Amino acid sequence: MSSYSIPYVAIVDDSPEDATLLRLLLGDGFRVRVFHGAVSALASFHSVVPSLVLCDVLMPGYDGPTLLAAMRNVPGCATVPVIAVSALLRDGMVQRLQELGFAGLLWKPVDEEALHLAVKSVLRPQAASR
């Protein structure tokens, strides 16, 4: 199996602990790269387009919604699914994130089963469309 057939998951989270936990919970079967800020992630996406992005909602500088909007202008990234990850629940947050185009939402601390279900639900349709 070539490395290109293995999904590339980008984790974007300003918390090193949360990013490490997501990486560990994903387990094997993915190429994973961790970014501790949206700006560095976005720069990388110009050369290597991820299969999926797991993105913290609230980060300094570019937050998750800003990253998602910017990704839509990067060649190859217009349809990359982005799953929001958040520790905060605010009124209307789920609906707002859906309206912005997030493919899903996970709550911190992230549950391993919920993570795997969310990842499978967005990667299966991509694989079917190839």
Side-chain angles (χ1 to χ4, degrees), residues 32-123:
V32 178
R33 182 156 178 207
V34 173
F35 299 92
H36 295 295
V39 174
S40 60
L42 191 60
S44 172
F45 298 164
H46 282 275
S47 57
V48 181
V49 176
S51 308
L52 167 67
V53 177
L54 299 173
C55 182
D56 188 11
V57 173
L58 299 175
M59 295 182 286
Y62 273 35
D63 61 7
T66 304
L67 173 61
L68 176 62
M71 282 178 61
R72 298 311 178 218
N73 296 313
V74 174
C77 285
T79 60
V80 171
V82 180
I83 296 175
V85 183
S86 182
L88 300 176
L89 175 59
R90 295 184 177 154
D91 289 340
M93 185 178 199
V94 174
Q95 182 178 349
R96 171 103 171 99
L97 292 173
Q98 288 173 338
E99 289 170 356
L100 290 172
F102 282 91
L105 174 60
L106 293 169
W107 300 109
K108 293 179 181 181
V110 174
D111 174 76
E112 184 174 8
E113 185 176 344
L115 173 63
H116 284 273
L117 288 172
V119 168
K120 285 179 187 175
S121 74
V122 297
L123 288 182

